[in-house]
Amino acid sequence: MTRQLDEQIAGRFPVGQRLRVLDVGMGQGTQALRLLRAGHRVTGLERDARMLSAAHEALAAEPEGVRERMRIIEGDGRDTGVHFLPGSFDVVLCHGVLMYVEEPDPLVAGLARMLAPGGLLSLLVRNGDALAMRPGLSGDWRSALAAFDTTAYEFSTPLEQGGPPPRLGLEMRADRLEALTATLAGIGAPLYAWYGVRVFTDTVPDGTPPPADEDELSALLAAEERAGRTDPYRRVAALLHLCGVRG
């Protein structure tokens, strides 16, 4: 997804332009810090206390000249209008957030309003058209059959050493490409490009480390990147990365 995002930014904005970036649901700040180090001004919005703490800790380790270009705000992605003026950002990220929101359209519309004309909206969502893939490939036929007719699914967080107990059976929701395409068109940020994410690796058990061999890792990433932009593979990816552009 990082390569996909960089491709869209490079194709839309002049080289060297310092962009105004908003990362909604920034988590521990992985993408936000990466774009910050690239020279951009970044605002992170996050409501989870643990994630906020991790993001602040990570930011504190950066040089002063980098730290001063970032703001971290505690808040909900549905309240962007409370914190920011319309058109305040060149790039808005919302990765891994919509699956927690029962009614995503108002959230996405609010994100689009934050974009300046020509701005880029980057969404990462669970693929509602491929929910049967993971249970099907794992031999869980009943779950696979049930997944064809729903966009709801259950998610369990892994047990982390020293962390809170895992959340079992957390109710989540997925999005279908066709529906999100219509939503983006309706809010003035029509779909410009889309990719699949985790085409081949979704069934890898949580916590599995990446290949230690650099050639093997490079091949894995190349295969995922190629599949993520190629039909029919990207249509059965676990996640969809959608990029809309503000008109």
Side-chain angles (χ1 to χ4, degrees):
M1 188 193 68
T2 293
R3 296 182 183 185
Q4 297 161 359
L5 179 61
D6 285 349
E7 176 183 275
Q8 290 302 313
I9 290 176
R12 182 143 300 276
F13 302 101
V15 175
Q17 180 178 342
R18 181 170 288 185
L19 302 173
R20 301 164 298 167
V21 180
L22 173 64
D23 190 351
V24 174
M26 66 178 289
Q28 61 188 5
T30 301
Q31 286 294 335
L33 288 170
R34 190 184 67 81
L35 292 171
L36 188 69
R37 296 181 192 119
H40 306 301
R41 295 190 176 275
V42 181
T43 300
L45 187 65
E46 176 58 58
R47 68 176 184 176
D48 184 270
R50 284 187 68 202
M51 293 294 100
L52 282 167
S53 178
H56 278 292
E57 183 177 349
L59 181 62
E62 298 293 324
E64 181 179 356
V66 174
R67 294 198 307 270
E68 66 185 12
R69 285 187 279 104
M70 184 166 185
R71 287 193 301 162
I72 298 177
I73 299 174
E74 182 176 2
D76 193 291
R78 291 166 288 195
D79 298 328
T80 50
V82 175
H83 300 287
F84 315 110
L85 293 174
S88 295
F89 298 95
D90 304 302
V91 178
V92 174
L93 313 179
C94 186
H95 297 162
V97 175
L98 265 62
M99 56 270 289
Y100 296 98
V101 180
E102 186 174 350
E103 294 292 339
D105 285 7
L107 169 60
V108 178
L111 299 178
R113 283 193 293 271
M114 296 300 103
L115 285 170
L120 176 68
L121 175 61
S122 174
L123 303 175
L124 184 72
V125 304
R126 188 75 182 185
N127 185 4
D129 292 320
L131 289 181
M133 288 297 296
R134 187 170 194 174
L137 292 173
S138 301
D140 184 355
W141 311 121
R142 290 181 176 82
S143 294
L145 285 169
F148 282 109
D149 301 314
T150 183
T151 55
Y153 66 100
E154 289 189 352
F155 175 78
S156 299
T157 59
L159 178 64
E160 298 180 10
Q161 186 175 2
R167 293 176 293 172
L168 302 177
L170 182 64
E171 290 293 329
M172 310 280 278
R173 51 168 299 282
D175 289 280
R176 299 189 187 277
L177 176 63
E178 183 179 2
L180 270 181
T181 299
T183 295
L184 291 171
I187 60 175
L191 184 67
Y192 180 78
W194 69 277
Y195 309 86
V197 177
R198 279 172 36 190
V199 178
F200 300 129
T201 58
D202 190 48
T203 56
V204 175
D206 292 329
T208 301
D213 182 81
E214 290 188 8
D215 289 340
E216 185 71 11
L217 178 59
S218 179
L220 183 157
L221 292 174
E224 281 284 353
E225 184 178 14
R226 178 71 178 271
R229 63 178 70 244
T230 305
D231 287 327
Y233 305 102
R234 62 177 180 167
R235 292 188 174 273
V236 295
L239 304 168
L240 296 178
H241 181 198
L242 293 86
C243 298
V245 175
R246 183 71 172 171

